[in-house]
Amino acid sequence: MVANPGGGSTDAGGGPVRHIPVLLAEVLEALAPSAGKLILDGTFGAGGYTSAILAGGADVIALDRDPTAIAAGQAMVAANAGRLSLIHSQFSQLGDHAPQGGLDGVVLDIGVSSMQLDEAERGFSFSKNGPLDMRMSASGVSAADVVNRAKLADLIRIFAFLGEEKQAPRIAHAIEKRRAEAPFVTTRDLAGLIEIVTPRKAKDKIHPATRVFQALRVFVNDELGELAQALFAAERVLKPGGRLVVVTFHSLEDRIVKKFFADRSGRAAGSRHMPMVHERLATFDPIGKSMVSASEAEAEANPRARSAKLRAGLRTAAPAEAADFSIFDLPNLASLGKLGG
């Protein structure tokens, strides 16, 4: 991950971290793969979950918006003789790739893979100097476009909400002043300015630029919107008894997943001050604990797991509800389309 706004330690912006599937045992327990099942892995990455699901006997449809992940996964496709389909797609569009009969499971690991962090040219990490990019799909508006073109007020809102950065106004004003002289081009251009504006204190566990880099990455890739759309899509394509398993890495993501499962739990509609209008049928029942986090042993062995949270639900036979994004209470941030590309 690029940051952990929840306050824990993180491999944000640091050196190379070997990719280890997070909460793998817990994911498999919640997902329950077996022969005859078809499971969609919406975030293929390095294929950690997909490989384990295949080993459990299930067939897999795997998606990834990163073309480099798709290319790297072709060997796994070839090795599994028709049991794995690997598709270049955003996971918000998972409904387009589900068969008519539905899916037995959907798993989503929300976050940046260590492979992306390791590639300086992708611009996700400031530990290696590279272009200020951060686009998972390698197309569209980049982080440099946002930093160099977004209005001051929009930068403040992006940093404050998506990065939970307390110094958002100070950092945004410094960016506005500097970009009038010369545009930001590289990751260290931006990280260096932030370090000057908000120097690192001895007690700080993360680099001063960590939260801003997280905010830019989340904004550039519309990660919160993608997650919300994927949850609604999973509700539509899962069979009764199908399982939705989501692993998140910071509080904003986890809040969306938590609100989704709470909303789909079948609570009564209408105001608590007014007579009940109608009873809503649950579209998901909880699987196990409402939230599962990594053990101390896993967190010590794999720093990426420290902030991970798993939530899972079992699809009921109730019809899917409308995709109502208001349940997530997300703010309207600046439009990417206005920033060019």
Side-chain angles (χ1 to χ4, degrees):
M1 291 294 296
V2 174
N4 169 24
S9 299
T10 173
D11 53 344
V17 178
R18 183 170 62 87
H19 184 85
I20 304 172
V22 172
L23 292 171
L24 180 59
E26 292 83 353
V27 164
L28 293 176
E29 181 179 0
L31 204 55
S34 61
K37 290 186 177 181
L38 179 60
I39 293 173
L40 187 144
D41 180 353
T43 47
F44 177 75
Y49 289 161
T50 287
S51 180
I53 294 166
L54 289 165
D59 292 346
V60 178
I61 299 171
L63 312 179
D64 205 294
R65 70 193 296 181
D66 187 344
T68 60
I70 299 299
Q74 293 308 309
M76 188 181 294
V77 174
N80 282 280
R83 295 183 54 216
L84 169 61
S85 297
L86 184 54
I87 302 168
H88 184 210
S89 173
Q90 298 175 193
F91 61 73
S92 61
Q93 299 169 356
L94 65 87
D96 295 339
H97 308 292
Q100 190 171 4
L103 297 165
D104 297 293
V106 172
V107 60
L108 305 171
D109 171 354
I110 312 301
V112 172
S113 75
S114 56
M115 297 182 302
Q116 291 168 330
L117 288 174
D118 290 348
E119 296 173 3
E121 65 271 17
R122 302 299 296 276
F124 286 101
S125 170
F126 44 80
S127 67
K128 298 178 179 180
N129 199 26
L132 191 57
D133 194 324
M134 303 192 193
R135 296 171 295 181
M136 291 182 183
S137 60
S139 63
V141 172
S142 70
D145 292 325
V146 178
V147 170
N148 291 318
R149 302 180 189 179
K151 295 179 180 178
L152 174 64
D154 289 330
L155 284 179
I156 293 172
R157 295 179 72 222
I158 290 167
F159 299 159
F161 181 77
L162 298 180
E164 298 184 344
E165 173 55 68
K166 295 179 181 179
Q167 300 296 327
R170 178 183 296 181
I171 293 170
H173 276 94
I175 288 173
E176 183 184 47
K177 181 178 179 180
R178 152 61 205 275
R179 73 187 184 186
E181 302 169 358
F184 290 87
V185 177
T186 69
T187 54
R188 288 191 180 160
D189 271 351
L190 180 58
L193 176 74
I194 295 171
E195 196 166 16
I196 293 171
V197 175
T198 57
R200 188 169 190 167
K201 299 177 182 177
K203 64 179 181 179
D204 292 342
K205 295 182 179 180
I206 61 175
H207 189 280
T210 298
R211 292 186 174 89
V212 167
F213 269 62
Q214 171 194 285
L216 287 169
R217 190 206 76 228
V218 172
F219 180 72
V220 163
N221 296 291
D222 188 24
E223 292 181 30
L224 302 187
E226 283 282 306
L227 173 56
Q229 291 183 65
L231 296 173
F232 291 132
E235 180 183 37
R236 291 192 298 269
V237 300
L238 281 168
K239 301 174 182 177
R243 294 162 178 259
L244 174 58
V245 181
V246 188
V247 177
T248 60
F249 291 86
H250 63 67
S251 58
L252 297 175
E253 301 164 342
D254 181 58
R255 198 176 306 155
I256 287 175
V257 179
K258 181 178 180 180
K259 286 184 176 182
F260 175 78
F261 280 128
D263 185 78
R264 275 12 190 194
S265 66
R267 63 190 181 200
S271 168
R272 62 189 177 90
H273 301 295
M274 300 292 288
M276 185 180 296
V277 178
H278 66 274
E279 188 74 21
R280 288 175 59 191
L281 297 176
T283 59
F284 282 96
D285 291 328
I287 296 175
K289 296 180 181 179
S290 60
M291 189 276 289
V292 177
S293 57
S295 66
E296 290 185 10
E298 180 176 4
E300 183 176 350
N302 182 10
R304 186 171 180 258
R306 292 172 186 163
S307 59
K309 295 180 180 179
L310 181 153
R311 296 184 188 272
L314 187 72
R315 186 70 172 88
T316 71
E321 294 197 21
D324 179 9
F325 288 85
S326 69
I327 67 173
F328 303 120
D329 195 26
L330 296 174
N332 291 319
L333 297 173
S335 169
L336 285 173
K338 296 178 181 178
L339 298 175

